[in-house]
Amino acid sequence: LAAFEVAFLVGLLLILQMSRRWRLHDQWISCRFLAERLRSSYFLALAGTGDQRGRSARLAYLSDSSEAWIERALTEVSARRPELDAGPPLVRELRDYLNRCWIGSQITYQEGTSAKQRTYEERLVRATELLFLLTLAAAGIHIFESYIFPVKGITGEQSLNFWEKLLIVVSITVPAVGAAFHGVGTQRQFRRHSERYRRMAGVLAQVQREMADATTLEQVQKVAAETEQIMREENSDWFGVMRFHDMELIT
């Protein structure tokens, strides 16, 4: 068992070293941010509004000059994007498509993710409460163990020794597991993210109603630009927070 423990500890050190050396967390955050920008760029190209890069990630998110490749990637993709030459777009079809495939799908994602994060939070709370009850039971049994397990000869002493060892193991293990659960909850921030996703779904629902009421191409483009700005600011804020949640070594 001691050999397995040492092997796992060494493995944790290697994983941490690889993550810091290759900047895996930063790369994941940056790629996710780029993916969100590219997704919005597709719908903005259909609406004919452009992606408004001048107000975007450079100020809100890309404070690290090493992440400037995201702006270069967006510029390169925009330069190679084929031009749309299909005549004036049909306002009603464009409006309904943006409302259904862009705003509507984002609302569905936000609501579903909010419910999932809330479920994780509730399960974590229940697990923590169960661990607390186990700790309380172990403490109570330890106080009254002489009454619960009376010593009667050698068999009684052996039984008492077994339960004493079990109580010691429970007293050490359960608080450690509880601390691990608390660390998971603090790191993942399930409740906070659930509320963020829920509020974002509400904001997008309002934008969806505005898009449904649009009757001209200018109105559709205005709502599309507003939608992209809302999503960009939310993504910038979320990824900016998650960027500082890198892997850490604890004891």
mmCIF file of all heavy atoms in Angstrom, residues 71-109:
data_model
loop_
_atom_site.group_PDB
_atom_site.id
_atom_site.type_symbol
_atom_site.label_atom_id
_atom_site.label_comp_id
_atom_site.label_asym_id
_atom_site.label_seq_id
_atom_site.Cartn_x
_atom_site.Cartn_y
_atom_site.Cartn_z
ATOM 1 N N GLU A 71 -6.294 36.807 -31.681
ATOM 2 C CA GLU A 71 -6.665 37.881 -32.590
ATOM 3 C C GLU A 71 -6.127 37.615 -33.990
ATOM 4 O O GLU A 71 -6.807 37.875 -34.983
ATOM 5 C CB GLU A 71 -6.135 39.214 -32.059
ATOM 6 C CG GLU A 71 -6.873 39.738 -30.846
ATOM 7 C CD GLU A 71 -8.315 40.094 -31.171
ATOM 8 O OE1 GLU A 71 -8.612 40.388 -32.350
ATOM 9 O OE2 GLU A 71 -9.131 40.075 -30.258
ATOM 10 N N ARG A 72 -4.913 37.087 -34.081
ATOM 11 C CA ARG A 72 -4.361 36.774 -35.399
ATOM 12 C C ARG A 72 -5.160 35.661 -36.070
ATOM 13 O O ARG A 72 -5.384 35.691 -37.285
ATOM 14 C CB ARG A 72 -2.897 36.366 -35.255
ATOM 15 C CG ARG A 72 -1.971 37.503 -34.802
ATOM 16 C CD ARG A 72 -0.517 37.167 -35.059
ATOM 17 N NE ARG A 72 -0.107 35.965 -34.359
ATOM 18 C CZ ARG A 72 0.423 35.949 -33.145
ATOM 19 N NH1 ARG A 72 0.600 37.093 -32.487
ATOM 20 N NH2 ARG A 72 0.787 34.822 -32.566
ATOM 21 N N ALA A 73 -5.595 34.680 -35.268
ATOM 22 C CA ALA A 73 -6.391 33.590 -35.828
ATOM 23 C C ALA A 73 -7.736 34.101 -36.343
ATOM 24 O O ALA A 73 -8.197 33.702 -37.418
ATOM 25 C CB ALA A 73 -6.602 32.502 -34.772
ATOM 26 N N LEU A 74 -8.370 34.989 -35.594
ATOM 27 C CA LEU A 74 -9.647 35.553 -36.032
ATOM 28 C C LEU A 74 -9.478 36.367 -37.311
ATOM 29 O O LEU A 74 -10.305 36.298 -38.230
ATOM 30 C CB LEU A 74 -10.230 36.425 -34.924
ATOM 31 C CG LEU A 74 -10.762 35.686 -33.688
ATOM 32 C CD1 LEU A 74 -11.098 36.684 -32.584
ATOM 33 C CD2 LEU A 74 -11.979 34.854 -34.040
ATOM 34 N N THR A 75 -8.403 37.140 -37.379
ATOM 35 C CA THR A 75 -8.140 37.926 -38.574
ATOM 36 C C THR A 75 -7.887 37.037 -39.784
ATOM 37 O O THR A 75 -8.378 37.305 -40.892
ATOM 38 C CB THR A 75 -6.934 38.853 -38.342
ATOM 39 O OG1 THR A 75 -7.188 39.687 -37.205
ATOM 40 C CG2 THR A 75 -6.674 39.725 -39.554
ATOM 41 N N GLU A 76 -7.136 35.952 -39.576
ATOM 42 C CA GLU A 76 -6.836 35.035 -40.673
ATOM 43 C C GLU A 76 -8.093 34.336 -41.162
ATOM 44 O O GLU A 76 -8.312 34.200 -42.377
ATOM 45 C CB GLU A 76 -5.807 34.007 -40.201
ATOM 46 C CG GLU A 76 -5.310 33.072 -41.289
ATOM 47 C CD GLU A 76 -4.427 33.774 -42.299
ATOM 48 O OE1 GLU A 76 -3.930 34.875 -41.984
ATOM 49 O OE2 GLU A 76 -4.234 33.212 -43.401
ATOM 50 N N VAL A 77 -8.932 33.901 -40.245
ATOM 51 C CA VAL A 77 -10.175 33.229 -40.640
ATOM 52 C C VAL A 77 -11.085 34.189 -41.393
ATOM 53 O O VAL A 77 -11.693 33.834 -42.414
ATOM 54 C CB VAL A 77 -10.891 32.660 -39.397
ATOM 55 C CG1 VAL A 77 -12.285 32.162 -39.758
ATOM 56 C CG2 VAL A 77 -10.073 31.523 -38.789
ATOM 57 N N SER A 78 -11.184 35.422 -40.916
ATOM 58 C CA SER A 78 -12.034 36.411 -41.582
ATOM 59 C C SER A 78 -11.512 36.734 -42.984
ATOM 60 O O SER A 78 -12.293 36.948 -43.920
ATOM 61 C CB SER A 78 -12.103 37.692 -40.755
ATOM 62 O OG SER A 78 -12.680 37.428 -39.481
ATOM 63 N N ALA A 79 -10.189 36.759 -43.135
ATOM 64 C CA ALA A 79 -9.616 37.076 -44.439
ATOM 65 C C ALA A 79 -9.868 35.955 -45.450
ATOM 66 O O ALA A 79 -10.036 36.223 -46.650
ATOM 67 C CB ALA A 79 -8.117 37.328 -44.299
ATOM 68 N N ARG A 80 -9.905 34.709 -44.979
ATOM 69 C CA ARG A 80 -10.097 33.583 -45.886
ATOM 70 C C ARG A 80 -11.566 33.191 -46.040
ATOM 71 O O ARG A 80 -11.881 32.273 -46.798
ATOM 72 C CB ARG A 80 -9.317 32.372 -45.378
ATOM 73 C CG ARG A 80 -7.811 32.584 -45.356
ATOM 74 C CD ARG A 80 -7.084 31.299 -45.043
ATOM 75 N NE ARG A 80 -5.641 31.478 -45.067
ATOM 76 C CZ ARG A 80 -4.766 30.480 -44.962
ATOM 77 N NH1 ARG A 80 -5.196 29.232 -44.829
ATOM 78 N NH2 ARG A 80 -3.467 30.733 -44.983
ATOM 79 N N ARG A 81 -12.437 33.868 -45.335
ATOM 80 C CA ARG A 81 -13.858 33.526 -45.416
ATOM 81 C C ARG A 81 -14.416 33.934 -46.775
ATOM 82 O O ARG A 81 -14.196 35.054 -47.226
ATOM 83 C CB ARG A 81 -14.615 34.251 -44.315
ATOM 84 C CG ARG A 81 -16.086 33.899 -44.218
ATOM 85 C CD ARG A 81 -16.730 34.761 -43.151
ATOM 86 N NE ARG A 81 -16.703 36.171 -43.543
ATOM 87 C CZ ARG A 81 -16.896 37.179 -42.702
ATOM 88 N NH1 ARG A 81 -17.097 36.942 -41.410
ATOM 89 N NH2 ARG A 81 -16.890 38.434 -43.139
ATOM 90 N N PRO A 82 -15.139 33.047 -47.430
ATOM 91 C CA PRO A 82 -15.711 33.409 -48.737
ATOM 92 C C PRO A 82 -16.776 34.497 -48.586
ATOM 93 O O PRO A 82 -17.499 34.543 -47.598
ATOM 94 C CB PRO A 82 -16.317 32.094 -49.235
ATOM 95 C CG PRO A 82 -16.568 31.292 -47.994
ATOM 96 C CD PRO A 82 -15.462 31.665 -47.053
ATOM 97 N N GLU A 83 -16.827 35.359 -49.566
ATOM 98 C CA GLU A 83 -17.797 36.438 -49.547
ATOM 99 C C GLU A 83 -19.179 35.919 -49.927
ATOM 100 O O GLU A 83 -19.324 35.076 -50.815
ATOM 101 C CB GLU A 83 -17.377 37.551 -50.505
ATOM 102 C CG GLU A 83 -16.073 38.232 -50.126
ATOM 103 C CD GLU A 83 -16.194 39.027 -48.835
ATOM 104 O OE1 GLU A 83 -17.330 39.431 -48.504
ATOM 105 O OE2 GLU A 83 -15.161 39.236 -48.177
ATOM 106 N N LEU A 84 -20.192 36.437 -49.247
ATOM 107 C CA LEU A 84 -21.574 36.079 -49.555
ATOM 108 C C LEU A 84 -22.089 36.994 -50.655
ATOM 109 O O LEU A 84 -22.102 38.218 -50.502
ATOM 110 C CB LEU A 84 -22.450 36.196 -48.298
ATOM 111 C CG LEU A 84 -22.101 35.252 -47.140
ATOM 112 C CD1 LEU A 84 -23.000 35.552 -45.937
ATOM 113 C CD2 LEU A 84 -22.258 33.809 -47.560
ATOM 114 N N ASP A 85 -22.510 36.389 -51.758
ATOM 115 C CA ASP A 85 -23.020 37.174 -52.878
ATOM 116 C C ASP A 85 -24.310 36.542 -53.384
ATOM 117 O O ASP A 85 -24.406 36.077 -54.503
ATOM 118 C CB ASP A 85 -21.960 37.242 -53.991
ATOM 119 C CG ASP A 85 -22.355 38.223 -55.086
ATOM 120 O OD1 ASP A 85 -23.272 39.033 -54.842
ATOM 121 O OD2 ASP A 85 -21.758 38.163 -56.171
ATOM 122 N N ALA A 86 -25.283 36.516 -52.507
ATOM 123 C CA ALA A 86 -26.571 35.904 -52.848
ATOM 124 C C ALA A 86 -27.691 36.935 -52.924
ATOM 125 O O ALA A 86 -28.865 36.590 -52.872
ATOM 126 C CB ALA A 86 -26.935 34.843 -51.811
ATOM 127 N N GLY A 87 -27.321 38.192 -53.038
ATOM 128 C CA GLY A 87 -28.332 39.227 -53.097
ATOM 129 C C GLY A 87 -28.816 39.611 -51.712
ATOM 130 O O GLY A 87 -28.332 39.107 -50.695
ATOM 131 N N PRO A 88 -29.780 40.494 -51.646
ATOM 132 C CA PRO A 88 -30.312 40.917 -50.338
ATOM 133 C C PRO A 88 -30.924 39.739 -49.599
ATOM 134 O O PRO A 88 -31.688 38.950 -50.178
ATOM 135 C CB PRO A 88 -31.384 41.957 -50.719
ATOM 136 C CG PRO A 88 -31.019 42.400 -52.101
ATOM 137 C CD PRO A 88 -30.397 41.213 -52.760
ATOM 138 N N PRO A 89 -30.617 39.560 -48.330
ATOM 139 C CA PRO A 89 -31.167 38.421 -47.584
ATOM 140 C C PRO A 89 -32.655 38.597 -47.318
ATOM 141 O O PRO A 89 -33.164 39.716 -47.220
ATOM 142 C CB PRO A 89 -30.363 38.445 -46.271
ATOM 143 C CG PRO A 89 -29.959 39.880 -46.106
ATOM 144 C CD PRO A 89 -29.736 40.399 -47.499
ATOM 145 N N LEU A 90 -33.346 37.506 -47.228
ATOM 146 C CA LEU A 90 -34.756 37.526 -46.860
ATOM 147 C C LEU A 90 -34.855 37.768 -45.358
ATOM 148 O O LEU A 90 -34.363 36.964 -44.555
ATOM 149 C CB LEU A 90 -35.425 36.209 -47.250
ATOM 150 C CG LEU A 90 -35.375 35.865 -48.753
ATOM 151 C CD1 LEU A 90 -36.002 34.496 -49.002
ATOM 152 C CD2 LEU A 90 -36.075 36.938 -49.570
ATOM 153 N N VAL A 91 -35.457 38.864 -44.988
ATOM 154 C CA VAL A 91 -35.431 39.288 -43.588
ATOM 155 C C VAL A 91 -36.090 38.261 -42.692
ATOM 156 O O VAL A 91 -35.553 37.895 -41.636
ATOM 157 C CB VAL A 91 -36.127 40.664 -43.448
ATOM 158 C CG1 VAL A 91 -36.188 41.073 -41.978
ATOM 159 C CG2 VAL A 91 -35.391 41.711 -44.263
ATOM 160 N N ARG A 92 -37.241 37.773 -43.085
ATOM 161 C CA ARG A 92 -37.981 36.849 -42.214
ATOM 162 C C ARG A 92 -37.221 35.545 -42.017
ATOM 163 O O ARG A 92 -37.100 35.057 -40.896
ATOM 164 C CB ARG A 92 -39.357 36.576 -42.805
ATOM 165 C CG ARG A 92 -40.217 35.647 -41.961
ATOM 166 C CD ARG A 92 -41.592 35.482 -42.558
ATOM 167 N NE ARG A 92 -42.410 34.577 -41.757
ATOM 168 C CZ ARG A 92 -43.665 34.254 -42.053
ATOM 169 N NH1 ARG A 92 -44.244 34.767 -43.149
ATOM 170 N NH2 ARG A 92 -44.329 33.429 -41.285
ATOM 171 N N GLU A 93 -36.685 34.996 -43.117
ATOM 172 C CA GLU A 93 -35.952 33.734 -43.009
ATOM 173 C C GLU A 93 -34.664 33.916 -42.194
ATOM 174 O O GLU A 93 -34.301 33.062 -41.371
ATOM 175 C CB GLU A 93 -35.615 33.195 -44.399
ATOM 176 C CG GLU A 93 -36.784 32.585 -45.144
ATOM 177 C CD GLU A 93 -37.779 33.631 -45.648
ATOM 178 O OE1 GLU A 93 -37.457 34.838 -45.557
ATOM 179 O OE2 GLU A 93 -38.866 33.246 -46.129
ATOM 180 N N LEU A 94 -33.968 35.043 -42.440
ATOM 181 C CA LEU A 94 -32.751 35.308 -41.681
ATOM 182 C C LEU A 94 -33.060 35.486 -40.205
ATOM 183 O O LEU A 94 -32.355 34.942 -39.341
ATOM 184 C CB LEU A 94 -32.066 36.562 -42.229
ATOM 185 C CG LEU A 94 -30.826 37.054 -41.481
ATOM 186 C CD1 LEU A 94 -29.726 36.007 -41.514
ATOM 187 C CD2 LEU A 94 -30.336 38.377 -42.065
ATOM 188 N N ARG A 95 -34.093 36.243 -39.892
ATOM 189 C CA ARG A 95 -34.486 36.471 -38.498
ATOM 190 C C ARG A 95 -34.825 35.166 -37.797
ATOM 191 O O ARG A 95 -34.349 34.904 -36.682
ATOM 192 C CB ARG A 95 -35.678 37.413 -38.469
ATOM 193 C CG ARG A 95 -36.236 37.692 -37.084
ATOM 194 C CD ARG A 95 -37.622 38.289 -37.194
ATOM 195 N NE ARG A 95 -38.551 37.313 -37.783
ATOM 196 C CZ ARG A 95 -39.793 37.626 -38.182
ATOM 197 N NH1 ARG A 95 -40.211 38.881 -38.105
ATOM 198 N NH2 ARG A 95 -40.574 36.686 -38.685
ATOM 199 N N ASP A 96 -35.633 34.337 -38.448
ATOM 200 C CA ASP A 96 -36.038 33.073 -37.817
ATOM 201 C C ASP A 96 -34.851 32.129 -37.653
ATOM 202 O O ASP A 96 -34.751 31.409 -36.644
ATOM 203 C CB ASP A 96 -37.130 32.397 -38.652
ATOM 204 C CG ASP A 96 -38.423 33.211 -38.669
ATOM 205 O OD1 ASP A 96 -38.588 34.070 -37.776
ATOM 206 O OD2 ASP A 96 -39.250 32.985 -39.575
ATOM 207 N N TYR A 97 -33.943 32.134 -38.643
ATOM 208 C CA TYR A 97 -32.779 31.256 -38.541
ATOM 209 C C TYR A 97 -31.869 31.675 -37.388
ATOM 210 O O TYR A 97 -31.415 30.834 -36.599
ATOM 211 C CB TYR A 97 -32.005 31.278 -39.854
ATOM 212 C CG TYR A 97 -30.795 30.370 -39.852
ATOM 213 C CD1 TYR A 97 -30.936 28.999 -40.041
ATOM 214 C CD2 TYR A 97 -29.517 30.886 -39.674
ATOM 215 C CE1 TYR A 97 -29.836 28.165 -40.045
ATOM 216 C CE2 TYR A 97 -28.407 30.061 -39.665
ATOM 217 C CZ TYR A 97 -28.576 28.705 -39.855
ATOM 218 O OH TYR A 97 -27.488 27.881 -39.833
ATOM 219 N N LEU A 98 -31.601 32.967 -37.274
ATOM 220 C CA LEU A 98 -30.773 33.445 -36.170
ATOM 221 C C LEU A 98 -31.441 33.195 -34.830
ATOM 222 O O LEU A 98 -30.779 32.819 -33.847
ATOM 223 C CB LEU A 98 -30.493 34.939 -36.337
ATOM 224 C CG LEU A 98 -29.651 35.348 -37.554
ATOM 225 C CD1 LEU A 98 -29.519 36.868 -37.615
ATOM 226 C CD2 LEU A 98 -28.285 34.696 -37.525
ATOM 227 N N ASN A 99 -32.740 33.377 -34.776
ATOM 228 C CA ASN A 99 -33.463 33.189 -33.525
ATOM 229 C C ASN A 99 -33.474 31.729 -33.091
ATOM 230 O O ASN A 99 -33.366 31.422 -31.906
ATOM 231 C CB ASN A 99 -34.901 33.693 -33.679
ATOM 232 C CG ASN A 99 -35.317 34.579 -32.526
ATOM 233 O OD1 ASN A 99 -34.517 34.879 -31.646
ATOM 234 N ND2 ASN A 99 -36.555 35.014 -32.532
ATOM 235 N N ARG A 100 -33.593 30.835 -34.062
ATOM 236 C CA ARG A 100 -33.697 29.419 -33.722
ATOM 237 C C ARG A 100 -32.336 28.763 -33.533
ATOM 238 O O ARG A 100 -32.105 28.075 -32.529
ATOM 239 C CB ARG A 100 -34.478 28.692 -34.829
ATOM 240 C CG ARG A 100 -34.684 27.204 -34.563
ATOM 241 C CD ARG A 100 -35.439 26.528 -35.700
ATOM 242 N NE ARG A 100 -34.670 26.505 -36.939
ATOM 243 C CZ ARG A 100 -34.880 27.303 -37.979
ATOM 244 N NH1 ARG A 100 -35.830 28.230 -37.922
ATOM 245 N NH2 ARG A 100 -34.135 27.220 -39.071
ATOM 246 N N CYS A 101 -31.434 28.962 -34.470
ATOM 247 C CA CYS A 101 -30.165 28.221 -34.465
ATOM 248 C C CYS A 101 -29.067 28.898 -33.657
ATOM 249 O O CYS A 101 -28.100 28.235 -33.269
ATOM 250 C CB CYS A 101 -29.679 28.025 -35.904
ATOM 251 S SG CYS A 101 -30.805 27.042 -36.921
ATOM 252 N N TRP A 102 -29.188 30.177 -33.399
ATOM 253 C CA TRP A 102 -28.153 30.883 -32.649
ATOM 254 C C TRP A 102 -28.633 31.223 -31.246
ATOM 255 O O TRP A 102 -28.164 30.649 -30.260
ATOM 256 C CB TRP A 102 -27.741 32.149 -33.398
ATOM 257 C CG TRP A 102 -26.579 32.875 -32.790
ATOM 258 C CD1 TRP A 102 -25.620 32.339 -31.973
ATOM 259 C CD2 TRP A 102 -26.250 34.257 -32.951
ATOM 260 N NE1 TRP A 102 -24.709 33.307 -31.616
ATOM 261 C CE2 TRP A 102 -25.069 34.488 -32.203
ATOM 262 C CE3 TRP A 102 -26.822 35.306 -33.654
ATOM 263 C CZ2 TRP A 102 -24.465 35.748 -32.153
ATOM 264 C CZ3 TRP A 102 -26.212 36.563 -33.612
ATOM 265 C CH2 TRP A 102 -25.040 36.776 -32.864
ATOM 266 N N ILE A 103 -29.596 32.130 -31.153
ATOM 267 C CA ILE A 103 -30.047 32.570 -29.833
ATOM 268 C C ILE A 103 -30.781 31.454 -29.109
ATOM 269 O O ILE A 103 -30.545 31.192 -27.922
ATOM 270 C CB ILE A 103 -30.947 33.818 -29.971
ATOM 271 C CG1 ILE A 103 -30.205 34.919 -30.724
ATOM 272 C CG2 ILE A 103 -31.378 34.310 -28.596
ATOM 273 C CD1 ILE A 103 -31.043 36.161 -30.988
ATOM 274 N N GLY A 104 -31.682 30.763 -29.812
ATOM 275 C CA GLY A 104 -32.440 29.690 -29.168
ATOM 276 C C GLY A 104 -31.566 28.554 -28.679
ATOM 277 O O GLY A 104 -31.765 28.019 -27.581
ATOM 278 N N SER A 105 -30.579 28.157 -29.498
ATOM 279 C CA SER A 105 -29.688 27.072 -29.068
ATOM 280 C C SER A 105 -28.845 27.485 -27.878
ATOM 281 O O SER A 105 -28.554 26.668 -26.987
ATOM 282 C CB SER A 105 -28.789 26.651 -30.233
ATOM 283 O OG SER A 105 -27.947 27.732 -30.629
ATOM 284 N N GLN A 106 -28.455 28.761 -27.825
ATOM 285 C CA GLN A 106 -27.696 29.239 -26.675
ATOM 286 C C GLN A 106 -28.555 29.254 -25.406
ATOM 287 O O GLN A 106 -28.066 28.925 -24.325
ATOM 288 C CB GLN A 106 -27.164 30.649 -26.960
ATOM 289 C CG GLN A 106 -25.951 30.685 -27.870
ATOM 290 C CD GLN A 106 -24.730 30.041 -27.241
ATOM 291 O OE1 GLN A 106 -24.419 30.279 -26.080
ATOM 292 N NE2 GLN A 106 -24.048 29.203 -28.001
ATOM 293 N N ILE A 107 -29.818 29.609 -25.539
ATOM 294 C CA ILE A 107 -30.711 29.580 -24.382
ATOM 295 C C ILE A 107 -30.866 28.154 -23.869
ATOM 296 O O ILE A 107 -30.815 27.900 -22.654
ATOM 297 C CB ILE A 107 -32.077 30.185 -24.750
ATOM 298 C CG1 ILE A 107 -31.942 31.683 -25.029
ATOM 299 C CG2 ILE A 107 -33.097 29.952 -23.630
ATOM 300 C CD1 ILE A 107 -33.221 32.335 -25.504
ATOM 301 N N THR A 108 -31.043 27.216 -24.781
ATOM 302 C CA THR A 108 -31.165 25.812 -24.378
ATOM 303 C C THR A 108 -29.909 25.332 -23.665
ATOM 304 O O THR A 108 -29.979 24.633 -22.640
ATOM 305 C CB THR A 108 -31.428 24.937 -25.614
ATOM 306 O OG1 THR A 108 -32.626 25.376 -26.257
ATOM 307 C CG2 THR A 108 -31.578 23.477 -25.219
ATOM 308 N N TYR A 109 -28.752 25.709 -24.195
ATOM 309 C CA TYR A 109 -27.490 25.319 -23.553
ATOM 310 C C TYR A 109 -27.349 25.944 -22.168
ATOM 311 O O TYR A 109 -26.964 25.271 -21.206
ATOM 312 C CB TYR A 109 -26.318 25.741 -24.443
ATOM 313 C CG TYR A 109 -24.982 25.617 -23.752
ATOM 314 C CD1 TYR A 109 -24.361 24.383 -23.600
ATOM 315 C CD2 TYR A 109 -24.336 26.747 -23.236
ATOM 316 C CE1 TYR A 109 -23.137 24.263 -22.958
ATOM 317 C CE2 TYR A 109 -23.116 26.636 -22.591
ATOM 318 C CZ TYR A 109 -22.528 25.399 -22.462
ATOM 319 O OH TYR A 109 -21.324 25.290 -21.815
#
